[in-house]
């Protein structure tokens, strides 16, 4: 509104050549000077509230990186909520992917910032996330989840694989996964042999034989 008012004043009272420097000065005074305060006070609320249109106005790599690290740290570092860590990380990642697509048009710089920030937060606790990801897969692949459709299970495996790519303790994950896989197969506890083969194939693609 203020920018429109300045534009109207320029048309009514000033030389046309004045318009460009006048609008630039108004933008600098009304917006640029206040960007740090706007980001600090408003960005967390906009992200949590999934405010897509408002986020489109806030094209800031630094702010989104800070948001991901702070929010992710609260998920990863709370030992009392370890049993929910993987599902919480999956929900958080899905929310970020939605915002990346709808607010930032899958901008490459934002995509890389999200990846880097997510890799940072998921490795804040050495090896623990790797162990919990393996345990999460064990729960999903056990026969207690027979109510889940093949398509839903396959989708979950793909999403977990994204988290797997971020963890540094892949050897730790592998050790727990092998042990849990052996138990499922020996005790006949697998929800689906096809799902077991699918997950092994995915891991082979990521890690080799």
């Amino acid at each position: 509104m203020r920018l429109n008012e300045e534009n109207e004043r320029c048309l009514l009272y000033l030389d046309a050549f004045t318009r460009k420097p006048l609008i630039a000065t108004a933008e600098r005074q009304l917006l640029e000077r206040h960007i740090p305060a706007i980001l600090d006070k408003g960005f967390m609320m906009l992200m949590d509230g999934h405010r897509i249109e408002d986020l489109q106005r806030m094209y800031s790599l630094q702010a989104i990186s800070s948001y991901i690290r702070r929010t992710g740290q609260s998920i990863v570092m709370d030992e009392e909520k370890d049993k929910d860590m993987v599902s919480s990380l999956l929900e958080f990642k899905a929310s970020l992917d939605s915002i990346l697509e709808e607010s930032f048009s899958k901008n490459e710089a934002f995509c890389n910032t999200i990846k880097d920030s997510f890799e940072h937060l998921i490795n804040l606790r050495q090896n623990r996330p790797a162990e919990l990801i393996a345990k999460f897969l064990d729960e999903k692949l056990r026969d207690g989840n027979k109510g889940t459709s093949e398509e839903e299970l396959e989708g979950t495996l793909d999403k977990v694989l994204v988290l797997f790519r971020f963890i540094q303790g892949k050897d730790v994950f592998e050790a727990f996964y092998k042990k849990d896989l052996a138990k499922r197969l020996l005790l006949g506890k697998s929800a689906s042999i096809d799902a077991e083969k699918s997950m092994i194939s995915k891991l082979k693609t990521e890690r080799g034989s």
Side-chain angles (χ1 to χ4, degrees), residues 136-149:
F136 180 85
L137 283 171
D138 182 50
E139 291 176 10
K140 295 300 178 184
L141 290 167
R142 282 183 174 274
D143 57 6
N145 286 289
K146 282 186 175 175
T148 305
S149 69

Side-chain angles (χ1 to χ4, degrees), residues 118-140:
F118 218 87
E119 183 175 359
H120 167 81
L121 72 89
I122 206 170
N123 291 294
L124 287 171
R125 286 173 68 191
Q126 189 176 18
N127 296 334
R128 186 59 172 160
E131 177 186 346
L132 292 173
I133 290 171
K135 294 297 182 186
F136 180 85
L137 283 171
D138 182 50
E139 291 176 10
K140 295 300 178 184

Side-chain angles (χ1 to χ4, degrees), residues 105-176:
S105 303
K106 293 186 177 179
N107 177 274
E108 185 178 355
F110 273 86
C111 184
N112 290 334
T113 296
I114 289 174
K115 287 179 180 177
D116 292 343
S117 302
F118 218 87
E119 183 175 359
H120 167 81
L121 72 89
I122 206 170
N123 291 294
L124 287 171
R125 286 173 68 191
Q126 189 176 18
N127 296 334
R128 186 59 172 160
E131 177 186 346
L132 292 173
I133 290 171
K135 294 297 182 186
F136 180 85
L137 283 171
D138 182 50
E139 291 176 10
K140 295 300 178 184
L141 290 167
R142 282 183 174 274
D143 57 6
N145 286 289
K146 282 186 175 175
T148 305
S149 69
E150 290 284 344
E151 293 77 14
E152 289 172 330
L153 183 55
E154 191 71 18
T156 299
L157 298 183
D158 286 334
K159 291 173 184 175
V160 174
L161 200 65
V162 173
L163 297 185
F164 170 78
R165 294 188 186 116
F166 290 125
I167 59 174
Q168 294 170 354
K170 289 183 173 62
D171 291 337
V172 174
F173 167 89
E174 188 175 334
F176 279 98

Side-chain angles (χ1 to χ4, degrees), residues 10-160:
C10 188
L11 292 173
L12 291 171
Y13 308 121
L14 303 171
D15 189 280
F17 291 106
T18 309
R19 181 183 174 279
K20 190 172 181 179
L22 173 66
I23 297 300
T25 301
E27 287 178 343
R28 188 162 55 250
Q29 294 297 319
L30 297 174
L31 295 172
E32 289 180 22
R33 289 178 58 192
H34 305 286
I35 284 175
I38 291 170
L39 292 177
D40 287 343
K41 294 177 183 177
F43 194 76
M44 294 284 285
M45 181 185 69
L46 296 180
M47 290 292 287
D48 288 336
H50 210 66
R51 299 266 294 278
I52 302 300
E53 290 185 4
D54 291 331
L55 284 164
Q56 288 171 337
R57 302 184 182 95
M58 303 183 73
Y59 218 69
S60 169
L61 292 171
Q62 184 176 3
I64 198 165
S65 177
S66 176
Y67 170 80
I68 293 170
R69 292 181 184 220
R70 277 185 288 176
T71 305
Q73 184 172 335
S74 68
I75 296 172
V76 173
M77 299 305 290
D78 190 347
E79 296 183 16
E80 294 182 359
K81 296 181 180 178
D82 273 3
K83 62 182 176 61
D84 299 320
M85 181 196 294
V86 177
S87 58
S88 295
L89 285 172
L90 289 173
E91 289 176 11
F92 185 39
K93 183 65 168 59
S95 173
L96 291 173
D97 289 343
S98 174
I99 289 168
L100 175 66
E101 181 174 354
E102 296 179 45
S103 293
F104 304 132
S105 303
K106 293 186 177 179
N107 177 274
E108 185 178 355
F110 273 86
C111 184
N112 290 334
T113 296
I114 289 174
K115 287 179 180 177
D116 292 343
S117 302
F118 218 87
E119 183 175 359
H120 167 81
L121 72 89
I122 206 170
N123 291 294
L124 287 171
R125 286 173 68 191
Q126 189 176 18
N127 296 334
R128 186 59 172 160
E131 177 186 346
L132 292 173
I133 290 171
K135 294 297 182 186
F136 180 85
L137 283 171
D138 182 50
E139 291 176 10
K140 295 300 178 184
L141 290 167
R142 282 183 174 274
D143 57 6
N145 286 289
K146 282 186 175 175
T148 305
S149 69
E150 290 284 344
E151 293 77 14
E152 289 172 330
L153 183 55
E154 191 71 18
T156 299
L157 298 183
D158 286 334
K159 291 173 184 175
V160 174

